[in-house]
Amino acid sequence: DVVMTQTPVSLSVSLGGQVSISCRSSQSLVHNNGNTYLSWYLQKPGQSPQLLIYKVSNRFSGISDRFSGSGSGTDFTLKISRVEPDDLGVYYCGQGTQYPLTFGSGTKLEIK
Amino acid sequence: EVKLVEYGGGLVQPGASLRLSCEASGFTFSDFYMEWIRQAPGKGLEWIASSRNKANDYSTVYSASVKDRFTISRDTYKRILYLQMNTLKPEDTAIYYCVSERRHWGQGVMVTVSS
């Protein structure tokens, strides 16, 4: 199974600031078809997870350009710029390159 | 607008069975992969089952933790995704989410397995 390791476990940021979350996979996430199926999700308090980024760097419909994803192979990063109050919650990375699908353990973002 | 509505959860005893349903709307149901992903109280996300799309014969894949106990299926006419859960264990206690193409998530349904 592909193990997804997220860091940090939690972080606190001031409104308007910028944060980065790291996600590393135990195996390359490059699929045989050449795509890399690495996604980022945000789970706001009391809500279902929502997709932010898919295939490493593609913003999902309606997602602000303050969210950006990057990386390749086994190392990936989510950056959030100009942090807003609505950004708080737990961020998960997830891989869809091979079964079983797996997720990181989450990064809790708090607003100072 | 894609909409996924789960129902069928509840409190059951260990060893019991339960069937979850997920009504889908706003997209071509047969074209999409569908998944069940669960989240134990206070824990992270765990994928448990997938139903591939029509082009892939609706073939199914399961996590090791539920294989041979859970069955994912779909009724394409009614646009409903199912999860038949048998021989439930306390460790199956979680919120169960219906997810389409790993993109759209339902609101989740709680399953509690306890005596």
Side-chain angles (χ1 to χ4, degrees):
Chain A
D1 298 3
V2 178
V3 177
M4 306 296 289
T5 303
Q6 262 183 263
T7 55
V9 172
S10 64
L11 70 166
S12 183
V13 62
S14 299
L15 294 176
Q18 178 175 296
V19 296
S20 292
I21 300 171
S22 173
C23 178
R24 290 187 173 179
S25 57
S26 60
Q27 304 173 32
S28 172
L29 297 186
V30 180
H31 192 274
N32 290 339
N33 63 14
N35 289 316
T36 300
Y37 295 101
L38 184 284
S39 299
W40 289 96
Y41 302 88
L42 165 60
Q43 186 171 31
K44 298 179 182 179
Q47 295 187 19
S48 309
Q50 62 180 103
L51 177 65
L52 300 174
I53 302 286
Y54 64 96
K55 286 198 285 186
V56 181
S57 60
N58 296 274
R59 274 186 298 276
F60 190 49
S61 175
I63 300 303
S64 168
D65 61 4
R66 298 185 298 103
F67 294 89
S68 63
S70 63
S72 63
T74 61
D75 288 347
F76 305 93
T77 301
L78 174 70
K79 289 185 179 179
I80 312 168
S81 61
R82 306 187 303 281
V83 170
E84 299 179 356
D86 196 45
D87 298 338
L88 73 89
V90 180
Y91 290 80
Y92 294 96
C93 62
Q95 67 83 18
T97 295
Q98 62 174 269
Y99 289 104
L101 309 183
T102 49
F103 297 89
S105 53
T107 295
K108 186 174 184 179
L109 178 65
E110 298 175 326
I111 308 297
K112 286 181 182 175
Chain B
E1 177 196 4
V2 173
K3 192 172 182 182
L4 301 168
V5 180
E6 305 97 331
Y7 56 93
L11 171 63
V12 296
Q13 293 190 336
S17 298
L18 200 61
R19 187 176 80 163
L20 304 182
S21 301
C22 169
E23 291 188 355
S25 60
F27 62 101
T28 305
F29 189 55
S30 59
D31 286 350
F32 281 39
Y33 280 48
M34 298 294 298
E35 292 91 27
W36 287 99
I37 294 171
R38 69 184 180 184
Q39 187 172 36
K43 302 296 184 182
L45 303 171
E46 180 190 13
W47 165 84
I48 57 172
S50 288
S51 167
R52 296 185 176 97
N53 58 12
K54 181 179 181 180
N56 288 281
D57 297 324
Y58 301 121
S59 56
T60 58
V61 193
Y62 298 93
S63 70
S65 61
V66 306
K67 187 175 171 59
D68 299 327
R69 297 190 300 124
F70 291 10
T71 302
I72 186 173
S73 62
R74 62 170 94 191
D75 183 324
T76 54
Y77 180 74
K78 293 181 179 179
R79 303 171 58 86
I80 298 178
L81 180 74
Y82 298 104
L83 184 68
Q84 176 66 43
M85 305 185 293
N86 298 330
T87 319
L88 282 160
K89 306 174 181 180
E91 53 263 41
D92 294 319
T93 295
I95 297 173
Y96 285 72
Y97 296 104
C98 169
V99 184
S100 68
E101 292 274 319
R102 302 157 207 170
R103 297 191 172 195
H104 299 278
W105 296 61
Q107 85 286 353
V109 62
M110 185 71 204
V111 173
T112 303
V113 184
S114 174
S115 54

